[in-house]
Amino acid sequence: MVSRDSGELKYLHEHDGELYCCSSNGSIRTFVTTTTGRNIKMNATMWDHSRSITHVLCDLPAEGPCEMHGISGHVCKFYSSSEDRTLKVWNITTHSAMTGISAPTLRSATFQSLAQSRIHLFAGTSTGLIAVFNKSDVCERKDVHACNIPGRDKRYCLQLTIHLPSAFTPSGSPSSINGLLCTGMCCHLMD
């Protein structure tokens, strides 16, 4: 059992002079760095995950005025994935969790990696599946499900689950998706 004050660093991410340190104890700590790297100051600690953080990804810069601040080209959010079977959406300025994302249909899968396009958030899982969530308030699914309720927010609704063909898993059993890379309309897998 790992205490709340200790944990192995599992993932590092840098965005705009801020270093995101993701730990096996479920914490994300941010540090402000300088151009020389000699002065580093802890900025925030976030504890909303209950298990190891596997990935952090900052949102793409807004194409026009951002929805939260009205600033063009601004990044307002970042995403985290965890072995607690959830994704979190965070406010990049206040470091507070804005919402949690889960996929009840992926009961045994933990989220291992993240990638994004302008309209989708992709999450690679420990069972070789890729969950595709929408980032806007528009659901593309045709079936009846929770976000069909009038007035319900449709952001981060699970749009589809991609099952990898067995040819991608040499043993024939599901392989963990430990890396995803989105370049334009293509999404690349790394196991």
Side-chain angles (χ1 to χ4, degrees), residues 10-47:
K10 302 294 268 181
Y11 188 80
L12 298 173
H13 179 77
E14 189 277 334
H15 174 77
D16 201 23
E18 196 165 28
L19 181 64
Y20 295 77
C21 300
C22 304
S23 180
S24 62
N25 64 6
S27 70
I28 302 171
R29 289 188 170 97
T30 62
F31 295 86
V32 177
T33 59
T34 61
T35 54
T36 63
R38 293 183 185 190
N39 297 323
I40 297 176
K41 175 184 158 203
M42 188 159 80
N43 190 32
T45 302
M46 294 150 274
W47 286 101

Side-chain angles (χ1 to χ4, degrees), residues 160-183:
L160 86 126
T161 305
I162 300 169
H163 299 265
L164 294 182
S166 59
F168 285 104
T169 56
S171 66
S173 62
S175 177
S176 182
I177 306 294
N178 294 321
L180 289 169
L181 174 64
C182 246
T183 56

Side-chain angles (χ1 to χ4, degrees), residues 11 55-60 79 81 87 112-124 130-133 135 177-184 186-190:
Y11 188 80
H55 202 109
V56 166
L57 177 69
C58 290
D59 202 8
L60 297 171
Y79 308 98
S81 62
L87 305 174
Q112 298 295 310
S113 56
L114 296 169
Q116 66 183 320
S117 67
R118 285 265 170 223
I119 58 174
H120 292 114
L121 179 64
F122 303 93
I130 301 170
V132 182
F133 301 92
K135 290 168 50 177
I177 306 294
N178 294 321
L180 289 169
L181 174 64
C182 246
T183 56
C186 298
C187 200
H188 306 277
L189 311 173
M190 294 158 270

Side-chain angles (χ1 to χ4, degrees), residues 55-102:
H55 202 109
V56 166
L57 177 69
C58 290
D59 202 8
L60 297 171
E63 289 183 317
C66 67
E67 61 186 58
M68 293 169 57
H69 305 98
I71 302 169
S72 290
H74 189 256
V75 175
C76 297
K77 300 177 267 198
F78 71 95
Y79 308 98
S80 60
S81 62
S82 171
E83 289 181 356
D84 66 5
R85 296 185 174 97
T86 66
L87 305 174
K88 299 283 183 185
V89 182
W90 303 85
N91 182 312
I92 205 163
T93 306
T94 64
H95 300 99
S96 59
M98 297 166 56
T99 192
I101 306 168
S102 62

